[in-house]
Amino acid sequence: MSAWNVDPYLLFAISLVAALTWLPALRDNRIRQWLAAILLLVVAFVSPLCALSSALFSARAVHHFVLISLAAPFIWRFVFSRETFWDRVPLIFIFVFHTTMLWLWHLPVPYAWALSGNAPYWIMEVPLFLSALWLWREILDVRRPAGGALIVSAATLLQMTALGAFLTFASHPLFSPHFLTSQAYGLSPLEDQQLAGLLMWIPASLPFAAAFLFRVARALTQPSDGLLVGRTAAASRLLH
């Protein structure tokens, strides 16, 4: 519990993110949401969870859960506060980009490389978090078509379930950086991996399920956000 990460470069990076997102949060009167997002980034990278994730793969799953399923949906609107050329990127590309990042950094060889040094670690974390921000923008931004949001949230829910099941039901431990570290916490490497799979399978997927239900409810109560209109627009974005 005393292993807080107070690296000055890390604290500067989080402070920079906070500064760049403060004005959009103030303009939209979403200070509490902004504060929750920054606190979640502190939990992920500064609190002892960061150190524990170097020893336990299950803690790494919690770490990524905090980033992808909690911090990203809180902070996306402050990052994408203005219309840019990113708005014209096909929806299928955004989904594939995030899915690729999520699976890539939860496969044995890339994961072991990512924990081999500071630079590889940030090459894992930064694209993963940015892809989650981009994805949540498509899901939660009510200006985006409801059909596309429903497709993306459902597809993400399914692929996270598949990744969680893959980790849970693997017959042997896969992640060498944790072969000699998990026993100190009362877990075998396989048990640690199975716990990580369950965490990704259920808790990390719940926000996407909630987002799916939110867009369904909004589509039913807001005629301008209707499902049929959303599906037509989503199909167009998927193809162009």
Side-chain angles (χ1 to χ4, degrees):
M1 291 302 296
S2 62
W4 291 77
N5 187 357
V6 291
D7 179 85
Y9 292 106
L10 172 65
L11 297 179
F12 173 77
I14 294 177
S15 300
L16 182 61
V17 171
L20 292 175
T21 54
W22 166 251
L23 287 180
L26 184 63
R27 183 190 61 218
D28 295 343
N29 195 26
R30 292 177 178 270
I31 303 303
R32 292 181 180 178
Q33 183 176 333
W34 172 86
L35 182 60
I38 300 304
L39 287 176
L40 285 168
L41 290 179
V42 171
V43 169
F45 293 112
V46 180
S47 79
L49 174 63
C50 185
L52 186 61
S53 64
S54 297
L56 292 175
F57 186 59
S58 53
R60 178 69 59 191
V62 174
H63 175 87
H64 285 166
F65 163 56
V66 170
L67 286 179
I68 295 171
S69 299
L70 295 179
F74 272 117
I75 204 172
W76 69 267
R77 68 173 63 251
F78 310 132
V79 176
F80 296 98
S81 59
R82 296 180 180 179
E83 297 290 329
T84 67
F85 72 94
W86 296 107
D87 298 337
R88 298 189 292 272
V89 175
L91 184 59
I92 187 64
F93 175 85
I94 300 171
F95 170 73
V96 170
F97 176 49
H98 176 69
T99 301
T100 300
M101 291 298 98
L102 185 65
W103 280 79
L104 178 67
W105 300 121
H106 291 86
L107 294 176
V109 174
Y111 181 83
W113 177 79
L115 294 191
S116 65
N118 286 332
Y121 175 81
W122 289 110
I123 291 174
M124 170 179 68
E125 296 292 343
V126 173
L128 181 61
F129 184 57
L130 291 178
S131 71
L133 291 176
W134 205 1
L135 188 76
W136 277 107
R137 185 270 185 97
E138 294 296 324
I139 294 173
L140 293 180
D141 191 344
V142 295
R143 297 170 298 180
R144 318 303 285 178
L150 291 174
I151 291 170
V152 167
S153 55
T156 303
L157 185 62
L158 289 174
Q159 64 92 4
M160 289 187 69
T161 298
L163 179 56
F166 164 71
L167 297 173
T168 302
F169 294 114
S171 59
H172 56 279
L174 302 170
F175 300 92
S176 57
H178 303 294
F179 284 175
L180 301 177
T181 59
S182 62
Q183 291 92 339
Y185 298 90
L187 294 170
S188 69
L190 182 58
E191 290 170 338
D192 180 35
Q193 181 177 293
Q194 290 169 337
L195 178 58
L198 288 173
L199 290 168
M200 186 170 295
W201 192 343
I202 302 174
S205 299
L206 289 178
F208 291 96
F212 181 88
L213 295 176
F214 162 74
R215 290 309 299 259
V216 168
R218 182 174 176 84
L220 294 176
T221 57
Q222 301 289 332
S224 62
D225 197 35
L227 290 176
L228 292 179
V229 175
R231 285 173 181 167
T232 302
S236 176
R237 287 197 68 212
L238 286 168
L239 295 173
H240 297 89

